[in-house]
């Protein structure tokens, strides 16, 4: 593995933040950077100080949105610093890149680069329960050209941000979700399955609307009939029917969450039945009201698991029987203890940072 760090001695550039970390507010001293051009492919891979980058005002990503990203975390554990399924993120990044007609990256080399960067920034990985180092890879077009066609120049950055515990006291909090029946997030044949910047731009108006109505998150319905449940904000969604977990089947417009996939595996190993299927919002409402759905939770890297306590759809409101249910809690505790190293990883999900 080549050493990507440009300088020989690591300088401490910033004071570490004290107090509440929040999410995505602080950035570490160094970042990974690489460039792509048509003739050279990916090149210029290096670890450089974190600082503003300069690019042309005509950079294509600003105008036409060729920008994809990823999100994962590193945890400080008694066994050292651990990453959770990093190759899954870079594989998914390639799927997103392909959908936007952007050049793929080398998954193994990207994991290696990430390990070097995290090892260099080891002091930045926070160690309180629930805290982590959030990792944000991003690739965007930076060719200065206003014609509409795939760019022939791209930049790949990995930046790091120490983040706080989502649940400060470790107590899961139920959220209220608003079922959006006017706007949609993604459509069949579109870019819903890809982690692309534009999907988030498209979601903000509905998120603000839900916020004004007193709801925490938007639950998206399918973009064709606005009838079937897709996902929540930046999380996939699970419905608990006693001993069985149901989640919407991946259909091209749902983001294939790595937490979703891991929870499905974990739940089965704990003896739960799991089912991926198309599920309508009417069915969900009926099942919540009849008490067949006992718990609902969202899953995603940032929050891990977020229990849902209430859902609003048009003029109906349904209160979920168990606000923070026992299944939700068991999955949360088991999952987070694999991540923080207090439980053995029998799944092979953990990658150690040397
Ligand atoms: C990233 C993301 C998720 C969750 O994916 P994880 O890999 O579990 O973090 C879910 N939905 C959307 C729209 C996302 O962007």
């Amino acid at each position: 593995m080549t050493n990507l760090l440009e300088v020989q001695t690591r300088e401490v550039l910033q004071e570490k933040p004290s107090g509440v970390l929040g999410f995505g507010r602080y950035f570490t001293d160094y970042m990974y950077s690489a460039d792509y051009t048509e003739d050279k492919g990916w090149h210029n891979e290096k670890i450089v100080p974190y600082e503003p980058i300069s690019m042309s005002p005509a950079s294509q990503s600003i105008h036409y949105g060729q920008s994809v990203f990823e999100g994962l975390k590193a945890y400080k554990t008694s066994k050292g610093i651990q990453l959770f399924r990093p190759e899954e993120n870079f594989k998914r990044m390639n799927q997103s890149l392909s959908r936007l007609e952007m050049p793929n990256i080398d998954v193994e080399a990207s994991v290696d680069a990430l390990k070097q960067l995290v090892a260099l920034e080891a002091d930045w990985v926070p160690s309180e329960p629930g805290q982590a180092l959030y990792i944000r890879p991003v690739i965007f077009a930076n060719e200065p050209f206003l014609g509409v066609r795939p760019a022939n120049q791209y930049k790949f950055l990995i930046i790091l941000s120490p983040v706080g515990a989502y649940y400060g006291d470790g107590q899961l909090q139920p959220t209220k979700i608003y079922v959006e029946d006017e706007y949609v997030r993604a459509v069949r044949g579109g870019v819903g399955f890809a982690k692309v910047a534009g999907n988030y731009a498209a979601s903000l108006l509905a998120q603000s609307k839900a916020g004004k109505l007193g709801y925490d998150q938007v639950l998206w319905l399918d973009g064709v009939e606005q009838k079937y449940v897709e996902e929540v904000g930046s999380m996939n969604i699970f419905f608990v029917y006693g001993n069985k977990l149901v989640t919407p089947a991946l259909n091209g417009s749902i983001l294939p969450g790595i937490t979703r996939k891991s929870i499905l595996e974990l739940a089965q190993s704990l003896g739960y039945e799991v089912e991926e299927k198309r599920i309508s919002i009417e069915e969900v409402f009926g099942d919540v009201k009849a008490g067949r759905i006992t718990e609902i939770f969202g899953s995603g890297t940032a929050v891990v698991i977020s229990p849902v306590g209430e859902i609003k759809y048009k003029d109906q409101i349904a209160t979920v029987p168990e606000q923070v249910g026992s299944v939700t809690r068991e999955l949360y505790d088991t999952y987070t203890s694999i991540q923080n190293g207090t439980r053995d990883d029998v799944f092979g999900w953990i990658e150690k940072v040397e």
Side-chain angles (χ1 to χ4, degrees):
M1 204 197 307
T2 45
N3 183 0
L4 299 168
L5 181 63
E6 285 225 301
V7 292
Q8 285 314 303
T9 44
R10 184 195 185 288
E11 296 169 72
V12 173
L13 304 175
Q14 301 172 71
E15 292 276 309
K16 301 281 185 300
S18 56
V20 177
L21 290 172
F23 182 83
R25 254 196 276 175
Y26 301 99
F27 301 97
T28 70
D29 296 326
Y30 287 86
M31 64 181 178
Y32 169 80
S33 172
D35 295 300
Y36 178 92
T37 53
E38 234 163 24
D39 53 330
K40 291 190 185 162
W42 286 110
H43 64 285
N44 209 15
E45 292 99 348
K46 56 193 178 183
I47 290 172
V48 294
Y50 177 92
E51 61 189 8
I53 53 168
S54 90
M55 58 187 211
S56 163
S59 288
Q60 281 178 322
S61 55
I62 313 174
H63 301 271
Y64 306 128
Q66 269 188 306
S67 177
V68 314
F69 68 95
E70 269 304 328
L72 66 157
K73 283 175 174 175
Y75 304 85
K76 191 159 270 176
T77 77
S78 58
K79 301 165 189 161
I81 296 171
Q82 301 189 342
L83 296 169
F84 189 78
R85 310 191 84 175
E87 57 297 312
E88 291 291 331
N89 291 88
F90 291 115
K91 279 191 213 158
R92 183 171 68 188
M93 197 166 205
N94 275 341
Q95 285 162 7
S96 306
L97 288 165
S98 293
R99 179 61 182 82
L100 296 195
E101 195 60 359
M102 294 164 71
N104 279 25
I105 51 168
D106 184 312
V107 170
E108 216 176 300
S110 301
V111 173
D112 281 350
L114 174 60
K115 284 184 182 170
Q116 283 191 43
L117 178 64
V118 173
L120 178 73
E121 298 288 55
D123 289 352
W124 280 93
V125 187
S127 54
E128 297 291 314
Q131 295 182 330
L133 186 68
Y134 184 76
I135 299 161
R136 168 54 59 86
V138 61
I139 300 180
F140 53 92
N142 65 347
E143 183 196 356
F145 178 61
L146 290 185
V148 179
R149 59 149 171 73
N152 57 30
Q153 218 175 292
Y154 297 90
K155 193 171 266 301
F156 179 8
L157 301 174
I158 303 176
I159 61 175
L160 306 176
S161 173
V163 297
Y166 195 84
Y167 302 104
D169 51 5
Q171 297 301 307
L172 299 174
Q173 298 294 327
T175 52
K176 292 166 68 181
I177 58 176
Y178 179 81
V179 182
E180 178 54 53
D181 62 353
E182 180 184 1
Y183 306 111
V184 297
R185 172 186 171 273
V187 293
R188 193 159 66 207
V191 295
F193 71 89
K195 223 166 165 79
V196 304
N199 281 339
Y200 279 83
S203 74
L204 299 175
L205 182 58
Q207 180 63 44
S208 299
K209 178 178 151 190
K212 283 177 197 146
L213 293 167
Y215 286 80
D216 304 302
Q217 295 267 355
V218 170
L219 175 67
W220 296 104
L221 299 178
D222 75 280
V224 180
E225 297 174 72
Q226 289 183 267
K227 190 173 164 193
Y228 299 98
V229 174
E230 299 238 304
E231 58 179 302
V232 183
S234 55
M235 294 186 294
N236 296 108
I237 189 147
F238 285 85
F239 303 102
V240 181
Y241 289 77
N243 198 40
K244 178 173 167 185
L245 268 60
V246 173
T247 191
L250 299 179
N251 59 358
S253 53
I254 294 174
L255 198 291
I258 294 160
T259 317
R260 174 189 182 279
K261 174 173 163 170
S262 309
I263 291 286
L264 285 171
E265 278 182 62
L266 178 66
Q268 279 174 289
S269 83
L270 293 172
Y272 294 98
E273 218 184 303
V274 301
E275 188 182 6
E276 299 172 70
K277 68 168 197 178
R278 190 160 82 155
I279 181 166
S280 73
I281 188 65
E282 296 292 350
E283 188 178 341
V284 166
F285 257 78
D287 288 347
V288 170
K289 288 195 168 146
R292 284 188 291 271
I293 290 180
T294 45
E295 305 173 29
I296 302 179
F297 64 86
S299 75
T301 295
V303 208
V304 185
I305 279 179
S306 174
V308 174
E310 180 183 315
I311 47 176
K312 177 176 168 63
Y313 175 53
K314 297 193 167 148
D315 52 9
Q316 303 180 64
I317 291 178
T319 303
V320 180
E322 297 183 41
Q323 294 284 296
V324 182
S326 54
V327 178
T328 303
R329 176 143 279 284
E330 181 185 10
L331 290 168
Y332 178 80
D333 289 343
T334 316
Y335 198 75
T336 52
S337 56
I338 294 171
Q339 291 178 324
N340 67 31
T342 53
R343 175 184 281 259
D344 281 344
D345 167 31
V346 296
F347 302 95
W349 289 339
I350 298 299
E351 284 262 342
K352 287 205 159 39
V353 173
E354 265 79 44

